[in-house]
Coordinates of all heavy atoms in Angstrom, one line a residue:
S1 N 98.9 60.6 181.8 CA 97.7 60.1 182.5 C 97.6 60.9 183.8 O 98.5 61.4 184.4 CB 97.9 58.6 182.9 OG 98.0 57.8 181.7
L2 N 96.3 60.9 184.3 CA 96.0 61.5 185.6 C 94.9 60.7 186.1 O 94.1 60.1 185.4 CB 95.5 63.0 185.4 CG 96.6 64.1 185.4 CD1 95.9 65.4 185.2 CD2 97.5 64.1 186.6
R3 N 94.8 60.7 187.5 CA 93.6 60.1 188.1 C 93.0 61.1 189.0 O 93.6 61.7 190.0 CB 94.1 58.9 189.0 CG 93.0 58.1 189.6 CD 93.5 57.0 190.4 NE 92.5 56.2 191.1 CZ 91.9 55.1 190.5 NH1 92.3 54.8 189.3 NH2 90.9 54.5 191.1
L4 N 91.7 61.4 188.8 CA 90.9 62.3 189.6 C 90.1 61.5 190.7 O 89.7 60.4 190.3 CB 90.0 63.1 188.8 CG 90.6 63.9 187.6 CD1 89.4 64.7 187.0 CD2 91.7 64.8 188.1
S5 N 90.0 62.0 191.8 CA 89.2 61.4 192.9 C 88.2 62.4 193.4 O 88.4 63.6 193.4 CB 90.1 60.9 194.0 OG 90.9 59.8 193.6
C6 N 87.1 61.8 193.9 CA 86.0 62.7 194.5 C 85.6 61.9 195.7 O 85.1 60.8 195.7 CB 84.9 62.9 193.5 SG 83.4 63.7 194.2
A7 N 85.7 62.6 196.8 CA 85.2 62.1 198.1 C 83.9 62.7 198.5 O 83.8 63.9 198.5 CB 86.3 62.3 199.2
A8 N 82.9 61.9 198.8 CA 81.6 62.3 199.2 C 81.3 62.1 200.7 O 81.6 61.1 201.2 CB 80.6 61.6 198.3
S9 N 80.7 63.1 201.2 CA 80.2 63.0 202.6 C 78.8 62.6 202.6 O 78.1 62.6 201.5 CB 80.4 64.3 203.4 OG 79.5 65.3 202.8
G10 N 78.2 62.3 203.7 CA 76.8 62.0 203.8 C 76.5 60.5 203.7 O 77.4 59.7 203.6
S11 N 75.2 60.2 203.8 CA 74.8 58.8 203.8 C 74.3 58.3 202.5 O 74.0 59.1 201.6 CB 73.7 58.6 204.9 OG 74.1 59.1 206.1
F12 N 74.1 57.0 202.4 CA 73.4 56.4 201.2 C 74.2 56.7 199.9 O 73.5 56.8 198.9 CB 72.0 56.8 201.1 CG 71.2 56.6 202.4 CD1 70.8 57.6 203.2 CD2 70.9 55.3 202.8 CE1 70.1 57.4 204.3 CE2 70.2 55.1 204.0 CZ 69.8 56.1 204.7
F13 N 75.5 56.7 200.0 CA 76.3 57.0 198.8 C 76.0 56.1 197.7 O 75.9 56.4 196.5 CB 77.8 57.0 199.2 CG 78.7 57.1 198.0 CD1 79.0 58.4 197.5 CD2 79.3 56.0 197.4 CE1 79.9 58.5 196.5 CE2 80.2 56.1 196.4 CZ 80.5 57.4 195.9
S14 N 75.8 54.8 198.0 CA 75.7 53.8 197.0 C 74.5 53.9 196.1 O 74.5 53.4 195.0 CB 75.6 52.4 197.7 OG 74.5 52.3 198.5
V15 N 73.5 54.7 196.5 CA 72.3 54.8 195.7 C 72.4 56.0 194.7 O 71.6 56.1 193.8 CB 71.0 55.0 196.5 CG1 70.8 53.8 197.5 CG2 71.0 56.3 197.2
Y16 N 73.4 56.8 194.9 CA 73.5 58.0 194.1 C 74.2 57.7 192.8 O 75.2 56.9 192.8 CB 74.4 59.1 194.8 CG 73.6 59.9 195.8 CD1 73.3 59.3 197.1 CD2 73.2 61.2 195.6 CE1 72.6 60.1 198.0 CE2 72.5 61.9 196.5 CZ 72.2 61.4 197.7 OH 71.5 62.1 198.7
T17 N 73.8 58.3 191.7 CA 74.6 58.3 190.5 C 75.7 59.3 190.6 O 75.5 60.4 191.1 CB 73.7 58.6 189.3 OG1 72.7 57.6 189.1 CG2 74.5 58.7 188.0
M18 N 76.9 58.9 190.3 CA 78.0 59.7 190.3 C 78.5 60.0 188.9 O 78.5 59.2 188.0 CB 79.2 59.0 191.1 CG 78.8 58.6 192.5 SD 78.3 60.1 193.6 CE 79.9 61.0 193.6
G19 N 79.0 61.2 188.8 CA 79.5 61.6 187.4 C 80.6 62.6 187.5 O 80.9 63.3 188.5
W20 N 81.3 62.6 186.3 CA 82.4 63.6 186.1 C 81.9 64.5 184.9 O 81.5 63.9 183.9 CB 83.7 63.0 185.8 CG 84.3 62.3 187.0 CD1 84.2 61.0 187.4 CD2 85.1 63.0 188.0 NE1 84.9 60.9 188.6 CE2 85.5 62.0 189.0 CE3 85.5 64.3 188.2 CZ2 86.3 62.4 190.1 CZ3 86.3 64.6 189.3 CH2 86.7 63.7 190.3
Y21 N 82.1 65.8 185.1 CA 81.8 66.7 184.0 C 83.0 67.6 183.9 O 83.8 67.7 184.8 CB 80.5 67.5 184.4 CG 79.2 66.8 184.3 CD1 78.9 65.8 185.3 CD2 78.3 67.0 183.3 CE1 77.8 65.1 185.2 CE2 77.1 66.3 183.3 CZ 76.8 65.3 184.2 OH 75.7 64.6 184.2
R22 N 83.0 68.3 182.8 CA 84.2 69.3 182.6 C 83.7 70.5 181.9 O 82.7 70.5 181.1 CB 85.3 68.6 181.8 CG 85.0 68.2 180.4 CD 86.2 67.4 179.8 NE 85.9 67.1 178.4 CZ 86.7 66.3 177.7 NH1 87.8 65.7 178.3 NH2 86.5 66.0 176.4
Q23 N 84.4 71.6 182.1 CA 84.1 72.8 181.4 C 85.4 73.5 181.0 O 86.2 73.8 181.9 CB 83.3 73.8 182.3 CG 82.8 75.0 181.7 CD 81.8 75.7 182.5 OE1 81.6 75.5 183.7 NE2 81.0 76.6 181.8
A24 N 85.6 73.6 179.7 CA 86.7 74.3 179.2 C 86.4 75.8 179.1 O 85.3 76.2 179.0 CB 87.1 73.7 177.8
P25 N 87.4 76.7 179.0 CA 87.2 78.1 178.9 C 86.4 78.4 177.7 O 86.6 78.0 176.6 CB 88.6 78.7 178.8 CG 89.5 77.7 179.4 CD 88.9 76.3 179.1
G26 N 85.3 79.2 177.9 CA 84.5 79.6 176.8 C 83.5 78.6 176.3 O 82.8 78.8 175.3
K27 N 83.4 77.4 177.0 CA 82.5 76.4 176.5 C 81.6 76.0 177.6 O 81.8 76.3 178.8 CB 83.4 75.1 176.1 CG 84.2 75.4 174.9 CD 84.8 74.1 174.4 CE 85.7 74.3 173.1 NZ 86.2 73.0 172.6
Q28 N 80.5 75.3 177.2 CA 79.5 74.8 178.2 C 80.1 73.6 179.0 O 80.9 72.9 178.4 CB 78.2 74.5 177.5 CG 77.5 75.7 177.0 CD 76.1 75.3 176.5 OE1 75.9 74.2 176.0 NE2 75.1 76.2 176.6
R29 N 79.6 73.4 180.1 CA 79.9 72.2 180.9 C 79.4 71.0 180.2 O 78.2 71.0 179.7 CB 79.4 72.3 182.3 CG 79.9 71.3 183.3 CD 79.5 71.5 184.7 NE 80.0 72.8 185.2 CZ 79.9 73.2 186.5 NH1 79.2 72.4 187.3 NH2 80.3 74.4 186.9
E30 N 80.2 69.9 180.1 CA 79.8 68.8 179.4 C 80.0 67.5 180.2 O 80.9 67.5 181.1 CB 80.5 68.6 178.1 CG 82.0 68.5 178.2 CD 82.7 68.3 176.9 OE1 82.1 68.4 175.8 OE2 83.9 68.1 176.9
L31 N 79.2 66.5 179.9 CA 79.4 65.2 180.6 C 80.6 64.5 180.1 O 80.9 64.5 178.9 CB 78.1 64.3 180.3 CG 78.1 62.9 180.9 CD1 76.6 62.5 181.1 CD2 78.7 61.9 180.0
V32 N 81.3 63.9 181.1 CA 82.5 63.1 180.7 C 82.2 61.6 180.9 O 82.3 60.8 180.0 CB 83.7 63.5 181.6 CG1 84.9 62.6 181.3 CG2 84.1 64.9 181.3
A33 N 81.7 61.3 182.1 CA 81.4 59.9 182.5 C 80.5 59.9 183.7 O 80.6 60.7 184.5 CB 82.7 59.1 182.8
T34 N 79.6 58.9 183.7 CA 78.7 58.7 184.8 C 78.7 57.2 185.2 O 78.9 56.3 184.3 CB 77.3 59.1 184.5 OG1 76.7 58.4 183.5 CG2 77.2 60.6 184.2
M35 N 78.3 57.0 186.4 CA 78.2 55.6 186.9 C 77.0 55.6 187.9 O 77.1 56.2 189.0 CB 79.5 55.1 187.6 CG 79.5 53.6 187.9 SD 81.1 53.1 188.4 CE 80.9 51.3 188.6
S36 N 76.0 54.8 187.6 CA 74.8 54.7 188.5 C 75.1 53.9 189.7 O 76.2 53.2 189.8 CB 73.7 54.1 187.7 OG 73.9 52.7 187.6
G37 N 74.2 53.9 190.7 CA 74.4 53.1 191.9 C 74.4 51.6 191.5 O 75.0 50.8 192.2

């Protein structure tokens, strides 16, 4: 297991949709998970 964290600067964070994407070597970036405001 691993836990990734992302810290955001700026205002109005709660209205932003946040997401995690990943890109493996030789592959396109793909969606992993998203969470709306």
Side-chain angles (χ1 to χ4, degrees):
S1 299
L2 277 177
R3 184 180 182 90
L4 305 182
S5 293
C6 173
S9 65
S11 304
F12 307 110
F13 173 82
S14 63
V15 303
Y16 281 76
T17 295
M18 302 298 298
W20 288 96
Y21 290 70
R22 66 187 182 187
Q23 187 167 18
K27 295 188 177 181
Q28 289 188 330
R29 191 172 297 187
E30 63 178 4
L31 178 150
V32 175
T34 63
M35 188 171 187
S36 72

